[in-house]
Amino acid sequence: MNAPDPLAREQFAELLAATREPFPASRKAYLPGQLHPDLRVPVRDIALTNGEQVSVYDTSGPYTDPNAVIDVRRGLASVRGGWIAGRGDTEAYEGRAPLALDDGQRSEDVVRLAQLRAEAAALQRQPLRARSGANVTQMHYAKKGIITPEMEYVALRENGKREWMAQYQADAGRERRLAGNPMGASIPRVITPEFVRDEVARGRAIIPANINHPEVEPMAIGRNFLVKINANIGNSAVTSSIEEEVEKLVWAIRWGADNVMDLSTGKNIHTTRDWIVRNSPVPIGTVPIYQALEKVGGVAEDLTWAIFRDTLIEQAEQGVDYFTIHAGVRLAYIHLTAARRTGIVSRGGSIMAKWCMAHHRESFLYEHFEDICDIMKAYDVSFSLGDGLRPGCASDANDEAQFAELHTLGELTQTAWKHDVQTMIEGPGHVPMHMIQANMTEQLTTCHEAPFYTLGPLTIDIAPGYDHIASAIGAAMIGWMGTAMLCYVTPKEHLGLPDRDDVKQGIIAYKIAAHAADVAKGHPGARARDDALSQARFDFRWQDQFNLGLDPETAQEYHDETLPKDSAKVAHFCSMCGPKFCSMKITQEVRDFAASKGLAEGQALASGMQDKAAEFQRTGGQLYVPLTPVK
Amino acid sequence: MNAPDPLAREQFAELLAATREPFPASRKAYLPGQLHPDLRVPVRDIALTNGEQVSVYDTSGPYTDPNAVIDVRRGLASVRGGWIAGRGDTEAYEGRAPLALDDGQRSEDVVRLAQLRAEAAALQRQPLRARSGANVTQMHYAKKGIITPEMEYVALRENGKREWMAQYQADAGRERRLAGNPMGASIPRVITPEFVRDEVARGRAIIPANINHPEVEPMAIGRNFLVKINANIGNSAVTSSIEEEVEKLVWAIRWGADNVMDLSTGKNIHTTRDWIVRNSPVPIGTVPIYQALEKVGGVAEDLTWAIFRDTLIEQAEQGVDYFTIHAGVRLAYIHLTAARRTGIVSRGGSIMAKWCMAHHRESFLYEHFEDICDIMKAYDVSFSLGDGLRPGCASDANDEAQFAELHTLGELTQTAWKHDVQTMIEGPGHVPMHMIQANMTEQLTTCHEAPFYTLGPLTIDIAPGYDHIASAIGAAMIGWMGTAMLCYVTPKEHLGLPDRDDVKQGIIAYKIAAHAADVAKGHPGARARDDALSQARFDFRWQDQFNLGLDPETAQEYHDETLPKDSAKVAHFCSMCGPKFCSMKITQEVRDFAASKGLAEGQALASGMQDKAAEFQRTGGQLYVPLTPVK
């Protein structure tokens, strides 16, 4: 294998620099804490052309802050280091000795590996763990009544700035008409730090935040908070440079990924993970069984608890915030998949099924679940209990295998909670619309309201190439019904590995689904951004309409295809209806007239008002934009 | 203005030829009638690599039939001519004399107009109308107990071929688990011609089929039938040729548009419409007020009943199958929009609002509604009662203005039915998820189950550039709840005019929404195509997976980006997990083992079977695809 190509590295460095550009008219701002005054909770302020400022949730981390000095070879500044140290319940230690095997059994090219590890040399942090007898999870603190800085951070972040929303406050009648339907969720008007604590204590929300990931900007996953989304990334087939891998992460959080899962396989995955975690402001999740399998040469039967345990510690020391653990794939459930159309489609699920079959033993993940809890609570790694038996197509949805596993996940949730380990539950997958509600109800009941984290679900199977859309429908619905985090699906799902644009397409589709769910649930303030954009649309403030959207550049580009000139950005029409006839323009005329003539008082309309009609024709009946050419 | 560019015409002719190519592995077939043996109802048969054949609904008309000889300058062959003549209740007549004004007031370039009309010379058909005292609507026949060829055609088309589905029939338990939730719809296992007749008679479905559009392949819109989609097209700013305009239509129906609305404005719209109708196998809808407005120079106040009436007759003679008529925008409702965030966003609605305001009179559409019915029933043009007061943003959804108009549309529906005029109701627009159900319930109650035809609805407002996705979510849900036809939204919505690719993106998003709704409602057989595709996926029949999808070329292209070689099309893996580790492959191994060893009998699992485990390791434990390089 060759040395990394310096040109490629340079190119990725350039790409990364471009990805750091703030969104148009946007400025990063920070909210201070009250209980913990050193908090700097990020928001993105969008300046509108009418002088207003709209402030939105910001997942992009310091990358979009022009004042942040970032060197991906050194990693991000610590956000939480002081808080963790302040609690006095952790200790630094030497950590597990790194093995060549950590980067893939076939990494026989030790020179190349040494090069790659050297690239990350400045990233190394000495690992922390809980002091003997201590439990360092957010859930543990929450149950003891402690409001951590992480919890206050989350509260501030969920509320965001609210002042600007006042002008979009509707009257009581409209508020009643538009009131959300929380579908059983209990969403307060304002999220207080105490509310966050209580939600974490009762297991209804998690704050994934490994003590070895001090760079993370805390966020919450729970049905009483904003719906979050997760994007998956993986290492390149031929890892070229730290810049390349970090750029993928930065790209995903730029478009709104709240969490990122690193699903790398094959070579150099330990080192790649170092690069990612040290440069990530969002929680990082992994599926440790993937790496464990690499360590045994891809032979599922050769997996052992010892190897798996060692891998958990390896990744916990690196700072991974949550682990997908398929501990619900029990020996007794495997036969339930035999009559399925598509069997077991989860990679982790099929690895464990194969292991159980080969040894005819109960899953070692299930049997060692309390041992796993002991590791999780020493670092505050959260469980993402994997749904290894999720359906792989609509016709396998909600079957006995799926729900048998879900029941076990509910049992494991209570075990995890006994250890104060934060836990969320993974869900399907493929579910037709009319079967989504049953899924959510089953999960809420069985898993005691632990946060649900679903992949889609896809509502149909006939849309390869468009599965981001087929699944955004299911994701929006299940999000409304109570799912706390939606794992994205890209257009390449079922077909191949997503490229940079696919990742963006998947994230935008899922931001739409998550926001649609927030609006439907009635999250306070969720609708305000829609109102601001709609108002900009009605006022023909084109630039504001673009800038308030999820993807300002694309919106503007689409608009400019037919009306490219700057003059059109303030024109009171668009190319859909043209300058001569615009319904919004007419509406405004109607409204002006109604207002000036007192027509808004409906009663007056019942009686004829011929004189007013004549007056309208005299004064305002011809208010069309003149037919001057635009381009 | 210049003469049409012959090169451009040639280019469009080439494009049109390409658009006539059948889909991969697909062959057009026709089903014969029983009551009416001359029926030839089209289906698309997809040949799978395993010898199976899957048959699907086909909207593409004769264009994808290699045996059909098509000359767009002569128009399509007549499908219904004999049926219409056979009923003996119509008469040919000279028709309304064409005016220069029909093609736009400013078509002063008579030479150019003459050229354009000459292009359509061979298209002319002498118009038909009902004989004096006759009523030629499908609803009229239905009420008299007559099963027309159109009705049998629709029944056959809705059922399609069913034989192939037998192999995807599930056992009773699975059928129970997957049973759809029709949300109050009454969907029979098999659609009989008599069922169609009954649905049309009671107004719960329409078959848009003007007697002057004999080229149409009949289809039904109703909540007990498959959910349909509509695509909008419009004339080019500079009309170049008949090939260009027809190609847009052919492109839209290729991807699955069941109906097409011609929303052309400006110049040459009469002639463009001739081109489109004569070459369209799907029903064509229009908004006649657009053309009427052109005739009065764009001044809404100058509209008169006489001009509007003349426009209805002009378009009815041409063969338009349904008219959007905004007769529910009443004078008394206009003030209800004054407090809205985005007022009136329907173009037709704002024209009528302006007219009412200017004259201080009740809408002439409302006042002359029975006169309009008299025209509709003389040609069998269906009403699409327009929602001129639909919300233009989420925060205006379900308000007093919208529902007041809806009530009036219910009243007008009953008036139309008194005249046996087929009627559907247009709906929003912009509705957050939790307010969709109320919309549907209100429509079903108020409009006596007349088919609902909605635009989306968009569930949020912050996704300009991606409104096809934001609205596909709402469309899928409202389709499930009972909407009969979904009007598509393209990625350019709110931004500009859609180009060819935007039209395709919009249609695919809406095919997904409509199919998701069909599956959720439990339409018999709707899920079989999903099952076939899922089975192909599980069997690693890549080519079948592509060909069974909504867009085979794109699916294959995405797959080939990472695994381009032909050998990969039969490979038992994809680039997502790579050759070494594929969960589906493992599942198959688990299943084979379970089957051969009797493991599917669950009880056996409870007891340990160490011997079997050893046997598995000896015989089948290492069945991975060898790590041979693929490309």
Side-chain angles (χ1 to χ4, degrees):
Chain A
M1 190 175 285
N2 299 318
D5 178 353
L7 185 61
R9 175 183 299 177
E10 201 172 279
Q11 284 170 332
F12 279 109
E14 268 173 43
L15 199 58
L16 191 53
T19 308
R20 287 200 52 188
E21 281 294 308
F23 276 103
S26 292
R27 204 176 55 82
K28 174 90 76 181
Y30 297 94
L31 307 176
Q34 291 191 337
L35 300 174
H36 306 92
D38 66 322
L39 300 188
R40 295 179 75 232
V41 180
V43 292
R44 174 162 69 93
D45 290 341
I46 306 167
L48 306 190
T49 58
N50 66 352
E52 286 178 24
Q53 212 169 55
V54 164
S55 186
V56 300
Y57 197 102
D58 187 359
T59 59
S60 63
Y63 292 99
T64 49
D65 184 344
N67 299 323
V69 179
I70 298 176
D71 176 354
V72 296
R73 284 152 191 281
R74 301 183 64 87
L76 297 180
S78 165
V79 172
R80 301 170 57 230
W83 312 339
I84 295 163
R87 291 192 275 259
D89 52 3
T90 56
E91 62 185 11
Y93 70 116
E94 201 179 341
R96 174 184 166 281
L99 306 170
L101 195 61
D102 299 345
D103 276 304
Q105 200 184 35
R106 289 179 190 75
S107 264
E108 54 285 311
D109 187 336
V110 288
V111 178
R112 171 70 180 132
L113 181 58
Q115 277 174 343
L116 290 171
R117 288 193 173 174
E119 293 208 26
L123 293 173
Q124 299 304 326
R125 285 180 183 273
Q126 193 176 11
L128 299 179
R129 68 182 169 202
R131 288 202 174 157
S132 175
N135 183 328
V136 298
T137 71
Q138 293 291 320
M139 189 182 213
H140 185 71
Y141 304 135
K143 284 183 177 175
K144 291 206 295 190
I146 299 168
I147 295 174
T148 62
E150 287 87 345
M151 295 170 198
E152 187 185 12
Y153 194 107
V154 160
L156 291 164
R157 200 169 191 186
E158 291 281 328
N159 294 329
K161 287 185 184 173
R162 295 248 176 126
E163 309 80 54
W164 67 272
M165 295 181 187
Q167 58 205 308
Y168 295 99
Q169 205 73 40
D171 57 70
R174 177 178 290 234
E175 285 296 331
R176 245 193 326 277
R177 174 167 53 81
L178 294 168
N181 176 353
M183 301 290 273
S186 309
I187 308 164
R189 291 297 303 172
V190 175
I191 304 282
T192 61
E194 166 57 21
F195 180 77
V196 176
R197 187 205 60 72
D198 190 56
E199 290 290 294
V200 172
R202 64 196 286 174
R204 209 151 61 175
I206 68 170
I207 300 174
N210 184 325
I211 54 169
N212 287 312
H213 192 187
E215 302 88 351
V216 90
E217 295 178 344
M219 54 77 67
I221 301 168
R223 74 192 278 227
N224 296 322
F225 298 99
L226 294 165
V227 175
K228 306 302 190 296
I229 71 166
N230 174 77
N232 297 327
I233 61 174
N235 54 346
S236 314
V238 181
T239 308
S240 73
S241 66
I242 191 167
E243 284 77 7
E244 179 177 358
E245 303 302 327
V246 173
E247 200 279 332
K248 287 182 204 169
L249 165 81
V250 177
W251 181 248
I253 61 176
R254 175 181 184 79
W255 294 109
D258 295 284
N259 275 203
V260 166
M261 288 195 78
D262 174 13
L263 302 185
S264 297
T265 54
K267 286 188 184 176
N268 310 317
I269 50 180
H270 176 99
T271 301
T272 303
R273 195 183 308 121
D274 260 342
W275 297 349
I276 291 170
V277 176
R278 294 284 76 77
N279 285 290
S280 177
V282 303
I284 298 294
T286 62
V287 187
I289 200 102
Y290 292 175
Q291 186 179 15
L293 188 71
E294 297 286 342
K295 291 181 182 177
V296 294
V299 182
E301 305 87 293
D302 291 353
L303 282 167
T304 62
W305 162 241
I307 287 170
F308 187 76
R309 181 183 181 282
D310 183 57
T311 305
L312 293 184
I313 291 171
E314 171 190 351
Q315 297 197 11
E317 287 179 352
Q318 286 186 293
V320 172
D321 301 286
Y322 57 95
F323 290 154
T324 293
I325 308 267
H326 297 93
V329 181
R330 298 190 60 181
L331 178 64
Y333 302 156
I334 296 168
H335 75 283
L336 297 175
T337 66
R340 279 181 160 184
R341 186 163 301 288
T342 55
I344 300 175
V345 295
S346 149
R347 293 170 69 190
S350 62
I351 293 167
M352 289 313 300
K354 193 161 186 183
W355 189 93
C356 292
M357 294 286 288
H359 296 280
H360 264 278
R361 283 193 48 186
E362 184 58 272
S363 153
F364 64 84
L365 298 177
Y366 182 80
E367 291 193 330
H368 285 280
F369 193 74
E370 299 214 45
D371 297 322
I372 299 174
C373 290
D374 286 336
I375 297 169
M376 306 299 259
K377 68 189 179 195
Y379 301 91
D380 198 7
V381 182
S382 298
F383 275 117
S384 185
L385 293 178
D387 54 339
L389 302 183
R390 68 171 175 265
C393 63
S395 90
D396 290 341
N398 293 18
D399 74 350
E400 206 183 338
Q402 182 194 333
F403 284 153
E405 181 186 34
L406 187 62
H407 279 254
T408 297
L409 299 186
E411 169 204 325
L412 296 175
T413 299
Q414 291 191 302
T415 305
W417 286 352
K418 198 179 69 187
H419 292 267
D420 298 347
V421 177
Q422 303 190 90
T423 302
M424 60 180 166
I425 312 292
E426 296 186 11
H430 291 254
V431 187
M433 277 195 289
H434 65 296
M435 299 167 73
I436 290 176
Q437 175 76 72
N439 241 284
M440 192 69 231
T441 305
E442 193 78 9
Q443 191 273 344
L444 285 170
T445 315
T446 312
C447 299
H448 323 285
E449 292 191 278
F452 205 22
Y453 165 33
T454 61
L455 174 65
L458 279 83
T459 52
I460 58 170
D461 297 323
I462 63 167
Y466 301 85
D467 278 339
H468 61 310
I469 300 178
S471 66
I473 294 168
M477 289 176 69
I478 208 164
W480 171 28
M481 292 166 183
T483 291
M485 186 157 74
L486 307 169
C487 181
Y488 87 161
V489 169
T490 79
K492 289 276 170 60
E493 184 72 21
H494 297 116
L495 298 170
L497 288 172
D499 62 21
R500 199 165 183 264
D501 187 57
D502 297 320
V503 167
K504 177 179 163 184
Q505 294 300 320
I507 292 175
I508 301 264
Y510 273 68
K511 290 307 276 188
I512 291 172
H515 186 66
D518 288 338
V519 167
K521 285 166 79 178
H523 272 283
R527 220 189 53 245
R529 183 173 171 187
D530 299 77
D531 287 350
L533 192 145
S534 298
Q535 193 62 50
R537 193 169 269 161
F538 187 71
D539 296 345
F540 299 101
R541 284 181 277 115
W542 287 99
Q543 203 63 59
D544 293 343
Q545 188 186 152
F546 308 148
N547 293 348
L548 285 165
L550 293 172
D551 180 0
E553 286 96 339
T554 297
Q556 172 146 4
E557 192 183 290
Y558 283 0
H559 174 269
D560 289 1
E561 272 178 29
T562 33
L563 289 173
K565 288 292 164 59
D566 277 352
S567 62
K569 299 296 189 305
V570 292
H572 280 205
F573 58 87
C574 72
S575 67
M576 294 186 79
C577 301
K580 191 170 143 200
F581 193 77
C582 167
S583 63
M584 289 218 180
K585 176 103 190 81
I586 289 192
T587 298
Q588 218 153 15
E589 294 166 24
V590 167
R591 184 183 294 186
D592 292 347
F593 182 69
S596 69
K597 302 302 173 193
L599 272 173
E601 299 147 31
Q603 282 69 13
L605 280 161
S607 58
M609 290 182 287
Q610 297 294 337
D611 55 324
K612 299 214 180 205
E615 188 177 329
F616 176 67
Q617 285 197 320
R618 240 179 8 249
T619 58
Q622 278 293 0
L623 290 177
Y624 292 113
V625 176
L627 247 176
T628 45
V630 178
K631 42 174 185 175
Chain B
M1 193 176 284
N2 299 318
D5 179 356
L7 184 63
R9 175 183 300 176
E10 203 172 275
Q11 284 171 330
F12 279 108
E14 268 175 41
L15 197 58
L16 191 53
T19 309
R20 287 200 52 188
E21 282 293 310
F23 275 103
S26 292
R27 201 177 58 81
K28 174 89 75 179
Y30 296 95
L31 308 175
Q34 291 190 337
L35 300 176
H36 305 94
D38 67 321
L39 300 188
R40 296 180 75 233
V41 181
V43 292
R44 176 161 69 94
D45 289 341
I46 306 167
L48 306 190
T49 58
N50 65 353
E52 286 180 24
Q53 210 170 57
V54 164
S55 186
V56 300
Y57 196 103
D58 187 0
T59 59
S60 62
Y63 292 98
T64 49
D65 184 345
N67 298 321
V69 179
I70 298 176
D71 176 355
V72 296
R73 283 151 193 280
R74 302 182 62 87
L76 296 180
S78 166
V79 172
R80 301 169 58 228
W83 313 340
I84 294 163
R87 290 191 277 259
D89 53 1
T90 54
E91 62 184 12
Y93 70 118
E94 202 180 340
R96 175 183 165 282
L99 305 170
L101 195 62
D102 298 346
D103 276 304
Q105 200 183 36
R106 289 178 191 75
S107 264
E108 55 288 308
D109 187 337
V110 287
V111 178
R112 172 70 180 133
L113 181 58
Q115 278 175 342
L116 291 172
R117 289 193 174 175
E119 294 208 27
L123 294 173
Q124 297 306 324
R125 285 181 185 271
Q126 193 176 8
L128 299 178
R129 68 181 168 202
R131 286 200 177 160
S132 175
N135 183 326
V136 298
T137 70
Q138 293 290 320
M139 188 181 215
H140 184 69
Y141 305 135
K143 283 184 178 174
K144 290 206 298 190
I146 300 168
I147 295 174
T148 62
E150 286 87 346
M151 295 170 197
E152 188 185 12
Y153 194 108
V154 160
L156 292 163
R157 201 171 191 183
E158 291 282 327
N159 293 329
K161 288 185 183 172
R162 294 250 176 125
E163 308 81 55
W164 68 270
M165 296 180 185
Q167 60 204 307
Y168 295 100
Q169 207 70 41
D171 56 69
R174 179 179 288 234
E175 286 296 330
R176 246 194 323 277
R177 173 166 53 80
L178 294 168
N181 177 355
M183 302 289 273
S186 308
I187 306 164
R189 289 299 300 171
V190 175
I191 304 282
T192 62
E194 167 57 21
F195 180 78
V196 177
R197 187 204 62 71
D198 190 56
E199 290 290 294
V200 172
R202 65 195 287 174
R204 209 150 62 173
I206 67 170
I207 300 176
N210 185 323
I211 53 169
N212 288 311
H213 192 187
E215 303 88 350
V216 89
E217 295 178 345
M219 54 76 67
I221 302 168
R223 74 193 277 226
N224 295 322
F225 299 99
L226 294 164
V227 175
K228 306 303 189 298
I229 71 165
N230 173 79
N232 298 326
I233 61 174
N235 55 345
S236 314
V238 180
T239 309
S240 72
S241 68
I242 190 166
E243 284 77 8
E244 178 177 357
E245 301 304 323
V246 173
E247 200 279 331
K248 285 183 206 169
L249 166 81
V250 176
W251 181 248
I253 63 178
R254 176 182 184 78
W255 294 109
D258 295 282
N259 275 204
V260 166
M261 288 194 79
D262 173 14
L263 301 185
S264 297
T265 53
K267 284 188 187 177
N268 311 319
I269 49 180
H270 176 98
T271 300
T272 304
R273 196 183 307 123
D274 261 343
W275 297 350
I276 291 171
V277 176
R278 294 284 74 79
N279 284 290
S280 176
V282 304
I284 298 294
T286 61
V287 187
I289 201 101
Y290 293 176
Q291 187 180 14
L293 189 71
E294 296 286 343
K295 292 181 181 178
V296 294
V299 182
E301 303 89 293
D302 291 353
L303 283 166
T304 62
W305 162 240
I307 286 170
F308 187 75
R309 181 181 181 283
D310 183 58
T311 305
L312 294 185
I313 291 172
E314 172 190 350
Q315 297 196 10
E317 287 179 353
Q318 287 185 295
V320 172
D321 300 287
Y322 57 93
F323 291 153
T324 294
I325 307 266
H326 297 93
V329 181
R330 298 190 62 182
L331 178 63
Y333 302 156
I334 296 168
H335 75 282
L336 298 174
T337 66
R340 280 180 160 184
R341 187 165 299 288
T342 55
I344 300 174
V345 294
S346 149
R347 291 170 71 194
S350 60
I351 292 168
M352 288 314 300
K354 192 162 186 184
W355 189 93
C356 293
M357 294 287 286
H359 296 281
H360 263 281
R361 284 193 49 186
E362 184 57 274
S363 154
F364 63 85
L365 298 175
Y366 182 79
E367 290 193 332
H368 286 279
F369 193 73
E370 298 214 46
D371 299 322
I372 299 174
C373 289
D374 285 336
I375 298 170
M376 307 297 261
K377 68 189 179 193
Y379 302 92
D380 198 7
V381 182
S382 299
F383 275 117
S384 186
L385 293 178
D387 56 336
L389 302 183
R390 68 171 176 265
C393 63
S395 89
D396 290 341
N398 294 17
D399 73 350
E400 206 184 340
Q402 182 194 335
F403 284 153
E405 180 187 33
L406 187 61
H407 278 254
T408 295
L409 298 185
E411 169 203 325
L412 296 175
T413 298
Q414 290 192 302
T415 305
W417 286 352
K418 199 178 68 187
H419 291 268
D420 297 348
V421 176
Q422 302 191 91
T423 302
M424 62 181 167
I425 312 293
E426 296 186 8
H430 291 252
V431 187
M433 278 196 287
H434 66 295
M435 298 168 75
I436 290 176
Q437 176 75 72
N439 242 282
M440 192 68 230
T441 305
E442 191 79 8
Q443 192 273 343
L444 286 170
T445 315
T446 312
C447 300
H448 323 285
E449 293 192 277
F452 206 21
Y453 165 33
T454 60
L455 174 68
L458 281 84
T459 51
I460 57 168
D461 297 322
I462 63 167
Y466 301 84
D467 277 339
H468 61 311
I469 301 178
S471 66
I473 295 168
M477 291 177 68
I478 206 163
W480 171 28
M481 293 166 185
T483 290
M485 185 158 75
L486 308 169
C487 181
Y488 87 162
V489 168
T490 79
K492 290 274 170 63
E493 185 71 20
H494 295 117
L495 298 170
L497 289 172
D499 62 21
R500 202 164 180 265
D501 188 59
D502 296 321
V503 166
K504 178 180 165 186
Q505 295 299 320
I507 292 175
I508 302 263
Y510 274 69
K511 292 305 276 188
I512 292 171
H515 186 66
D518 289 337
V519 167
K521 285 166 80 177
H523 273 282
R527 220 191 52 245
R529 183 173 172 186
D530 299 76
D531 286 351
L533 191 146
S534 298
Q535 193 60 50
R537 192 170 269 161
F538 186 71
D539 294 345
F540 299 101
R541 286 181 277 114
W542 287 99
Q543 203 63 58
D544 294 343
Q545 188 187 153
F546 307 149
N547 293 346
L548 285 165
L550 294 172
D551 181 359
E553 289 97 340
T554 297
Q556 172 145 5
E557 191 184 290
Y558 283 1
H559 175 269
D560 290 1
E561 271 178 30
T562 31
L563 289 174
K565 287 293 163 61
D566 276 352
S567 62
K569 299 295 185 307
V570 292
H572 280 205
F573 59 86
C574 72
S575 66
M576 293 186 79
C577 302
K580 188 169 147 202
F581 192 76
C582 168
S583 62
M584 289 218 177
K585 177 106 189 79
I586 290 192
T587 298
Q588 218 153 15
E589 294 167 24
V590 166
R591 184 183 295 186
D592 292 348
F593 182 70
S596 69
K597 303 302 174 195
L599 269 173
E601 298 147 32
Q603 282 71 11
L605 278 161
S607 59
M609 288 180 291
Q610 298 292 335
D611 55 326
K612 299 215 179 202
E615 190 177 329
F616 176 68
Q617 286 197 320
R618 247 186 353 260
T619 59
Q622 277 292 358
L623 289 177
Y624 292 113
V625 176
L627 246 175
T628 45
V630 178
K631 39 177 186 175

